Amino acid sequence: MKRTEREESSAAESSTVVTDGAGVDWRGSASSSVTVTRAERLREFYEETVLKPMLVAWSDSRTRLGLLIIGFYVSLALVAVLGLWRAPSTSQAPRYLTLFENMQYPLGTTASGTDLAALIIHSTPDILLMVTSGGLWATGIAVLVGTVAGYKGGSVGRALMSISDFVMAIPGLPLVMILAITFNPKNPILLGIVININYWAGLGRSIHSQVLTIRENNYVEASRTMGVSTPRIILKDVIPNIMPYVTVNFVFAARYVVFASIGLFFLGVLPYSDQNWGVTLNFAYNGGALFSWSAAHWLLVPMAAIIGLSVGLILLGQGMDRVFNPRVRTRLTGESESTASADEKDTGMTEVL
């Protein structure tokens, strides 16, 4: 049976090859050529979240030094946890040994014959737990409250900021002293949270101000237009833009825990413990180390431990600030912005031609 003219014309149209003028067949082959495999997605995720941040961090001498210092304190904590150094006790060594006078007790001893190195080492795990928990508490609550209030706005934003202003108006040190005396917390993780109980309020207010600006950006508007959920927009578009600020403030919050905890232990407000740098300072001061050169190491050793941890946190925070800078990450991984802009120009010319 002969086909009708309509059938013949439709068959001819279906067999027509669509080209771009250079003999390239575009009949559906493009969709298969851009298919991304699971391995490629995993590789891209690894490069963006692990490789590039590591390259940026390692390129900064401040980050390397900060990691070295923090790694040293973590090593001290592991030594204490694994029991690789003797536990501190009275009359375990001659009294008032100075620095490196006896290599069995390299940091000297106290008036009671306690090994100072043992005191510093066995105090480190609790200090690190307090620092980490206090920093995570303060920055975590601040990011949650600040981003939600800034992005949602309206009555939700006003309510959250009113709570933040109320908490910020409460004096921090008296509040911590009252909570410490009332609940007598002994867990170092809980102590870190108590010390930074209202530290998040000021940071949350600052983050709120930044998010108010970020939510008006074009890419955030585009995500809203495409129907992306609010939690996903906050996680993917808002929080990455405030991470440098959050990282620096995490370091500030951690340093505050260090100084506040040492001061409160020194004053005897927090639960008493021999294995704490603040308590060691208190004993040294009461033992006359401030006025006796032979006992000066008793005061200087815990002070050096406090200063070293603070410096390590500062250097690490400064280095991490560059990790979240996409321009630095792009430059160090060989993807220069000038090349990218040149490619965009070439593409535009090709499209015009």
Side-chain angles (χ1 to χ4, degrees), residues 47 62 211:
E47 291 177 353
R62 296 172 301 178
V211 174

Side-chain angles (χ1 to χ4, degrees), residues 8-9 11 53 58 119 137 145 157 197 211-212 219 244 265 294 305 317 344:
E8 292 177 353
S9 60
W58 192 251
L119 283 173
W137 163 264
V145 173
I197 190 67
V211 174
L212 287 176
Y219 56 87
F265 274 116
S294 60
E344 291 176 0

Side-chain angles (χ1 to χ4, degrees), residues 172-184:
L173 184 59
L175 177 62
V176 172
M177 295 176 68
I178 292 173
L179 292 176
I181 294 172
T182 303
F183 298 103
N184 194 30

Side-chain angles (χ1 to χ4, degrees), residues 83-295:
L84 301 180
W85 193 274
R86 68 181 75 89
S89 61
T90 58
S91 303
Q92 66 182 157
R95 300 169 61 246
Y96 287 125
L97 288 177
T98 58
L99 294 173
F100 307 112
E101 181 180 350
N102 186 333
M103 294 310 297
Q104 189 176 358
Y105 310 98
L107 299 183
T109 58
T110 67
S112 61
T114 305
D115 182 13
L116 264 177
L119 283 173
I120 298 300
I121 291 173
H122 286 269
S123 301
T124 304
D126 287 352
I127 294 291
L128 293 183
L129 287 175
M130 281 191 295
V131 166
T132 305
S133 64
L136 290 176
W137 163 264
T139 54
I141 299 297
V143 169
L144 177 63
V145 173
T147 53
V148 173
Y151 182 79
K152 295 292 290 184
S155 58
V156 175
R158 287 192 297 270
L160 290 175
M161 285 299 97
S162 297
I163 296 173
S164 177
D165 293 339
F166 174 76
V167 174
M168 192 164 46
I170 302 175
L173 184 59
L175 177 62
V176 172
M177 295 176 68
I178 292 173
L179 292 176
I181 294 172
T182 303
F183 298 103
N184 194 30
K186 296 181 180 180
N187 188 297
I189 297 177
L190 185 59
L191 277 174
I193 294 175
V194 168
I195 291 171
N196 271 356
I197 190 67
N198 67 337
Y199 189 93
W200 62 268
L203 177 58
R205 167 63 74 175
S206 301
I207 291 175
H208 168 262
S209 301
Q210 294 193 17
V211 174
L212 287 176
T213 303
I214 294 173
R215 73 175 184 178
E216 303 300 330
N217 289 338
N218 293 333
Y219 56 87
V220 179
E221 290 285 351
S223 297
R224 278 199 295 265
T225 303
M226 290 186 295
V228 180
S229 63
T230 297
R232 185 172 180 83
I233 293 176
I234 292 177
L235 289 174
K236 297 293 184 179
D237 296 331
V238 177
I239 290 181
N241 285 279
I242 62 174
M243 279 306 297
Y245 184 75
V246 171
T247 305
V248 171
N249 280 275
F250 171 81
V251 173
F252 289 158
R255 289 178 61 245
Y256 178 78
V257 172
V258 174
F259 295 132
S261 63
I262 298 303
L264 292 172
F265 274 116
F266 179 82
L267 296 174
V269 175
L270 292 178
Y272 177 83
S273 172
D274 282 335
Q275 300 174 14
N276 185 276
W277 301 343
V279 175
T280 303
L281 285 174
N282 192 358
F283 282 167
Y285 177 79
N286 293 331
L290 188 62
F291 309 102
S292 174
W293 181 250
S294 60

Side-chain angles (χ1 to χ4, degrees), residues 69-91:
I69 295 174
I70 299 300
F72 172 73
Y73 281 94
V74 172
S75 300
L76 291 182
L78 290 176
V79 168
V81 171
L82 297 176
L84 301 180
W85 193 274
R86 68 181 75 89
S89 61
T90 58
S91 303

